[in-house]
Amino acid sequence: MDVDLPPEDDPRRVETRRWFDEHRAPSARELVDAGFVVPHWPRPYGLDADPALQLIIEGEMRRAGVSKPMNPIGIGHCGPIIVALGNDEQKQRYLLPMLAGEELWCQLFSEPGAGSDLANLGTRAERDGDVYRVNGQKIWTSLADHAEFGILIARTRNDVSKHRGISYFIIAMDLPGVEVRPIRNMTGESGFNEVFFDDVRVPAENLIGEENLGWGMAKSTLANERVSLSTGGGLQWGYGPSARDLVTHFRDNGGLDDRVVRQEVVRAYIEGEILRYHRMRMISAAVNKKPGPDASLRKALADPHGKKVFTLAKNLMGAGGMLTINGALDSAWDRGFLFSPALTVGGGTSEVLRNIIAERLLGLPHDLDVEQGKTWSETRRGTSAPA
Ligand SMILES: Cc1cc2nc3c(=O)[nH]c(=O)nc-3n(C[C@H](O)[C@H](O)[C@H](O)COP(=O)(O)OP(=O)(O)OC[C@H]3O[C@@H](n4cnc5c(N)ncnc54)[C@H](O)[C@@H]3O)c2cc1C
């Protein structure tokens, strides 16, 4: 991909800059109406933007000091599925409030027995007239305690192989029978939750696409998630500080005397730069609507990099790094360090990403046991999967 940014006098840049000059503090709805929240989506939600226009809009938005509405799971993971496969009513009802950040979304996929092997899920949705009755449990659901809506995958058929018979729903999180229990993580915050469904009546019109054909959509959602977790420049799934920030910190504070530590910091910087260029390629793939193994490659490299840089920063704090004031985390580095073990788990573990890279980028053979319908852990235990 050509990473040269369109020049200052590019007509599309001039026009975008003029828009931000005329809208000094745009509301979320104004940004949505202008197509600036998801420029690469089709109209009326986006602008069908090519990579260059998307980079122009990102750049001009940054220059104007304007931020996009926050709805990472809605906009990053679920929205593209609704755009591609939702019906007109679903698009009309959900997409604009989602883009404006007025209705927050979560992703109800993982279960206690179904993480990497997601198709093993046991939550059931049984058709009963105009509704599906949903029973089961999800876990690690980020933002479920704040979300208005979720994307839910549940089993609608049991008599077929596990990848078939899964359906994909939109679910309102305030329906009777939905119980959300926050789980506190090491940072002291509860970023994710357990979610229980006790005979929850989900309107049949909330099914996306065809019944039993949800697995393909689930895989696309996971691919979107990997793109979304890889597109920002920060160490923490795109957010937070970067290796460049670490270097800047030491440069501005008199440098580093220790030669060994200097080597480590430079190594971290080089990795960060390689990942920055790879990110440009990813943006190109994303705007060309081809989220795929490339995002897995970047995530497999970026997550261990994030862990390494947060640990390096913590080590460099010396004894002071062990202190927090009144139990509060005082910097993005402290918080990032405590969150960093999750980086190589959420959104696909590093091992699973390496499997995807092996099979889909390198053309290595599929894991035979998976093809035969066994899960990885069943393979290790030497047992076979249920039908
Ligand atoms: C911060 C965070 C936020 C999350 N948010 C959400 C969310 O919003 N919604 C949601 O649905 N889920 C969410 N998750 C869950 C996440 O998707 C799962 O944790 C992840 O898919 C791994 O599943 P698991 O935890 O069940 O581990 P397992 O799948 O049980 O894996 C255990 C270990 O076995 C290894 N392993 C498994 N299969 C293979 C294989 N085939 N080959 C080699 N090794 C293998 C794994 O790499 C791992 O080391 C979140 C997780 C985290 C950490």
Side-chain angles (χ1 to χ4, degrees), residues 213-224:
L213 295 187
W215 180 245
M217 288 182 266
K219 282 202 301 186
S220 299
T221 311
L222 296 175
N224 292 332

Side-chain angles (χ1 to χ4, degrees), residues 150-226:
I151 286 292
L152 169 79
I153 51 173
R155 189 159 299 289
T156 35
R157 265 187 84 172
N158 245 341
D159 55 343
V160 285
S161 75
K162 65 184 180 179
H163 293 95
R164 304 200 185 102
I166 289 174
S167 299
Y168 194 103
F169 299 94
I170 294 169
I171 182 167
M173 294 302 286
D174 62 355
L175 284 179
V178 177
E179 188 191 345
V180 178
R181 293 188 202 159
I183 304 171
R184 189 179 279 221
N185 66 32
M186 272 206 290
T187 64
E189 298 160 350
S190 49
F192 40 38
N193 303 266
E194 288 179 293
V195 182
F196 296 87
F197 303 95
D198 182 9
D199 219 16
V200 179
R201 295 161 62 89
V202 177
E205 69 212 29
N206 285 21
L207 176 75
I208 302 189
E210 276 185 54
E211 191 181 85
N212 300 317
L213 295 187
W215 180 245
M217 288 182 266
K219 282 202 301 186
S220 299
T221 311
L222 296 175
N224 292 332
E225 177 178 16
R226 281 167 200 147

